[in-house]
Amino acid sequence: AQSVSQHNHHVILSEAASLELGCNYSYGGTVNLFWYVQYPGQHLQLLLKYFSGDPLVKGIKGFEAEFIKSKFSFNLRKPSVQWSDTAEYFCVKWNTGKLIFGQGTTLQVKP
Amino acid sequence: DTGVSQNPRHKITKRGQNVTFRCDPISEHNRLYWYRQTLGQGPEFLTYFQNEAQLEKSRLLSDRFSAERPKGSFSTLEIQRTEQGDSAMYLCASSGGTSDGEQFFGPGTRLTVL
C-alpha cells in the first residue's frame, strides 16, 4: 500500500529560524507530491506541488520543497519562519485519484 | 463563497443513531472526495465520485457507511448505527478531474459519538 511518512510530529521554532520538514513517500505509481497546510481554524489548503521537471518547487508564502527521487523524499523548507506560519503541515502523495497523507507536523513559531 | 462547503459543521449523536453529512463541491468540479481525520493523524481516504459514479471505496468504509452523489453535484455521507470509533472529522474535497491531483477541501464536519 502507498504511504507517506513525515519525520517530525511537532516542531517549535523561534521567528526567523530556518525550517525543514522531512517527508518520505513509498515507491510506486505516479509521483505527484504536495504539501498542504492547515492554519488554525481554517481549511486544508495547498502550499505547493510537484509533478515533474525542476525538483525544486516554490510555493506560496516563501515555502519551497525539494524532490529527491533517489531518496524518495520531498522535504519542505523555508529560510525564515514567521509567527503566522504556525500551522499543521501535511506531506501528500497522489495515488490513482486519491490523496495519501502523512500524519502531519505541527509547527509552532514563537514570536 | 465559491469554495467547498459542508454541513453541519458539528454533530453530536448517541451511539446507535444514524447521521448524514452533506458536501457541496466547487460548482465546476466533477470529482468529489470524502476523507476522515482522527486526532493526530492525517486525513484518510474514504471514497470518491466522478460526476454521479462512485469510483472507489476504501476498506475503511464499512457497510455502515454509504455515500451518494445523485445528480453529480452535492454529496451525502451517511453513517448508520454510529459507534464511538466513528468520532472524527469528516472532510470533503473536490477537484476539476484533471490528473494533477490538486484537491480543494471544505471545513469538515466534526462528529462526536457519545
Side-chain angles (χ1 to χ4, degrees):
Chain A
Q2 296 285 300
S3 65
V4 174
S5 176
Q6 294 183 233
H7 302 176
N8 316 95
H9 293 287
H10 198 157
V11 173
I12 302 174
L13 296 173
S14 298
E15 276 193 314
S18 63
L19 170 72
E20 180 159 5
L21 300 182
C23 171
N24 288 96
Y25 61 91
S26 59
Y27 168 81
T30 302
V31 183
N32 287 354
L33 299 166
F34 308 83
W35 277 94
Y36 275 79
V37 61
Q38 188 166 26
Y39 297 103
Q42 296 188 25
H43 308 183
L44 276 164
Q45 57 186 279
L46 184 68
L47 201 54
L48 50 78
K49 60 187 176 185
Y50 171 82
F51 299 148
S52 63
D54 188 342
L56 190 59
V57 179
K58 295 193 185 300
I60 61 172
K61 303 187 180 184
F63 285 90
E64 63 180 32
E66 185 176 12
F67 169 67
I68 303 179
K69 186 176 180 180
S70 61
K71 295 184 178 180
F72 300 97
S73 70
F74 189 56
N75 294 352
L76 181 70
R77 299 197 292 247
K78 186 171 184 179
S80 175
V81 296
Q82 301 174 319
W83 177 79
S84 58
D85 293 325
T86 293
E88 190 157 17
Y89 293 80
F90 294 96
C91 183
V92 183
K93 184 182 182 192
W94 183 89
N95 180 39
T96 58
K98 58 186 177 284
L99 299 181
I100 309 298
F101 284 77
Q103 68 269 45
T105 297
T106 301
L107 171 65
Q108 183 182 351
V109 180
K110 294 183 175 179
Chain B
D1 189 338
T2 57
V4 178
S5 62
Q6 292 186 245
N7 287 288
R9 296 290 304 275
H10 303 273
K11 179 70 177 179
I12 300 174
T13 190
K14 292 182 179 179
R15 190 175 54 189
Q17 297 295 304
N18 299 345
V19 294
T20 300
F21 310 140
R22 176 177 170 130
C23 171
D24 287 88
I26 293 171
S27 59
E28 61 268 28
H29 284 178
N30 60 352
R31 287 196 174 192
L32 186 149
Y33 310 80
W34 287 99
Y35 294 84
R36 180 172 67 188
Q37 185 177 18
T38 53
L39 201 62
Q41 300 296 320
E44 295 175 293
F45 170 78
L46 293 178
T47 188
Y48 86 96
F49 294 83
Q50 179 158 313
N51 299 315
E52 65 274 12
Q54 190 171 17
L55 296 188
E56 186 172 348
K57 292 185 346 180
S58 164
R59 281 173 288 180
L60 292 175
L61 215 63
S62 76
D63 291 344
R64 297 184 297 106
F65 288 70
S66 63
E68 295 182 342
R69 194 182 183 199
K71 296 183 180 179
S73 56
F74 72 91
S75 175
T76 57
L77 178 68
E78 181 183 15
I79 309 174
Q80 296 182 327
R81 305 181 303 281
T82 52
E83 302 173 355
Q84 287 186 325
D86 296 331
S87 295
M89 177 73 86
Y90 290 84
L91 297 169
C92 177
S94 69
S95 73
T98 62
S99 62
D100 62 12
E102 180 176 355
Q103 297 178 14
F104 296 81
F105 283 82
T109 295
R110 182 168 295 284
L111 172 66
T112 301
V113 181
L114 301 175

